[in-house]
Amino acid sequence: MIKPLSLKRIEEFIKAQSLQRPVSVQCYGDAEFTAVNSDTRNLNAGELFVAIRGEFFDPHQFIEQAVAKKPCALVVEKYFPDIALPQLVVSDSILALGQIAALNRSLFTGKLIGITGSSGKTTVKTMVASILAECGDTHATKGNLNNHIGVPFTLLQLTAANEFAVIEMGASGPGEIGYLCSLAKPQVTMINNVMPAHIEGFGSIEGVAKAKGEIYESLVAGATAVVNLDDQFSSSWLAQLRNRTVISVSLHNSDANFHARAIELSDAEVSFELVADTKATSITLNAQGEHSVRNALMAAACAFAAGASLQQIQTGLANFAPVSGRMSKHVGVNQVHIIDDSYNANPGSVRAAIDVLAQKTRGVLVLGDLAELGSDSAQLHGELGDYARSKKLPHIFTLGNLSQNASQHFGEGAQHFTDRASLVAHLKTIARADMTLLIKGSRSSKMDLVVRELCDSAGDTH
């Protein structure tokens, strides 16, 4: 936290806000704290405990477990007269958590960057943080804490030492990005891309674009929007951002403020010349695929808007290390090369991964089901099989239910598995040193377990 807060200060702050999502609040007693927690498993003495209801769990029923850890006070949705601790009683503890985070954010005087998109946002966040670390003390979203609970906890971790904050924002439905922006109030915002992802929550890809566009609608005065001109929805965003400061980005369009030239791809890295208006610098990136160049351009533009120089951008990108489960490289059983892209997936990111795989001598796609694609799920999986075949991959192995459509469309050289053990056993029999396995799927398909079993067999703990 930037400075100690108190229950009374939170109560006053909430009552003074014109809230997008109203929260009623009443304070019983007062206490000062420097940390907030909602998990009794790691709750420390002196922290503020916020009782957050889950879909299958209500901490109010087990409040004694929290009290036993000796928090300084409670944020609860009902008053406990028998508990001798100060209590902030609210109508919605999740929204109250957001307002506590917003209060801490209001004390932050540095630059805050907000990042969203259907694919690559965690990678871009990591790149931006790596660049801004060259400029000053930088705080960034840890892991995938990018939702209505994760973002508040990220904002609560801001301290007086931080000069920059890089906040990743995810959404599974309309209104969520707008809500997160109301808490974070970013001064630089970007949408990395819009792809068919979480369609069930948005209704259509147009719905995804509109919801992601909330990050531009929420710009505070003097803020900067970074816009990917290569995205199909960029023209509507630019119209929306008229009279705003915009930095445009494109992979090849030289009219964009940030673009690339002289791109060179190899098995180990990508290199290119980053052009920022009239200036240029050479970039070498520990990543694979042309999509990584676009990610780096978007990150560079965000960092530049926050005050980074081209030299700091060059150094920060050189120091970037791929995020685990996102195109990270390992050696598996029988010295097979493994590209672990198992963290999550949507059709666009699968295509980008296939593009990388197609450059390998013997590239094999191992694909799990893609979730939340709505009524077009079967068709979208089938199209991925068509795409893999068009890139002349020798084999595709699929796991799950929907991914069978990809195998069927791929045709000869495809094989579908209904259980992970059978898939792993087959991969172990065919694995060899001149082969690259690219393993991908939505989080729910747990393809990371396939990676783990193949790597454990080789002694690679990745």
Side-chain angles (χ1 to χ4, degrees), residues 111-224:
K111 287 287 181 71
L112 191 145
I113 296 90
I115 292 172
T116 192
S118 297
S119 179
K121 54 184 176 291
T122 300
T123 296
V124 174
K125 170 208 69 182
T126 307
M127 288 178 172
V128 174
S130 184
I131 296 168
L132 292 179
E134 300 298 313
C135 308
D137 193 291
T138 301
H139 174 61
T141 300
K142 293 180 174 62
N144 67 322
L145 295 176
N146 62 17
N147 64 4
H148 61 296
I149 295 174
V151 168
F153 274 114
T154 300
L155 295 175
L156 284 165
Q157 291 163 3
L158 286 169
T159 71
N162 298 142
E163 298 169 74
F164 301 94
V166 189
I167 310 298
E168 179 182 333
M169 300 180 182
S172 55
E176 293 184 25
I177 295 295
Y179 170 67
L180 298 179
C181 286
S182 75
L183 307 180
K185 293 183 167 46
Q187 294 130 306
V188 179
T189 65
M190 62 89 84
I191 302 172
N192 200 40
N193 49 48
V194 169
M195 298 178 179
H198 303 296
I199 291 290
E200 288 179 352
F202 299 101
S204 65
I205 192 168
E206 290 76 17
V208 175
K210 189 174 188 305
K212 299 293 184 185
E214 293 167 14
I215 204 168
Y216 292 144
E217 292 174 2
S218 305
L219 281 174
V220 298
T224 299

Side-chain angles (χ1 to χ4, degrees), residues 234-268:
S234 62
S235 58
S236 62
W237 293 329
L238 290 172
Q240 175 184 332
L241 290 164
R242 215 171 268 124
N243 303 320
R244 291 284 198 170
T245 302
V246 172
I247 296 178
S248 58
V249 176
S250 174
L251 195 60
H252 301 296
N253 183 349
S254 59
D255 291 332
N257 300 121
F258 275 65
H259 60 275
R261 61 191 183 202
I263 298 172
E264 295 185 11
L265 309 176
S266 74
D267 283 349

Side-chain angles (χ1 to χ4, degrees), residues 36 63 105 133 139 159 163 176 194 213 224 302 314 371 419 426:
V36 179
I63 201 70
R105 176 7 183 156
H139 174 61
T159 71
E163 298 169 74
E176 293 184 25
V194 169
T224 299
C302 285
Q314 182 187 55
D419 65 277
H426 180 72

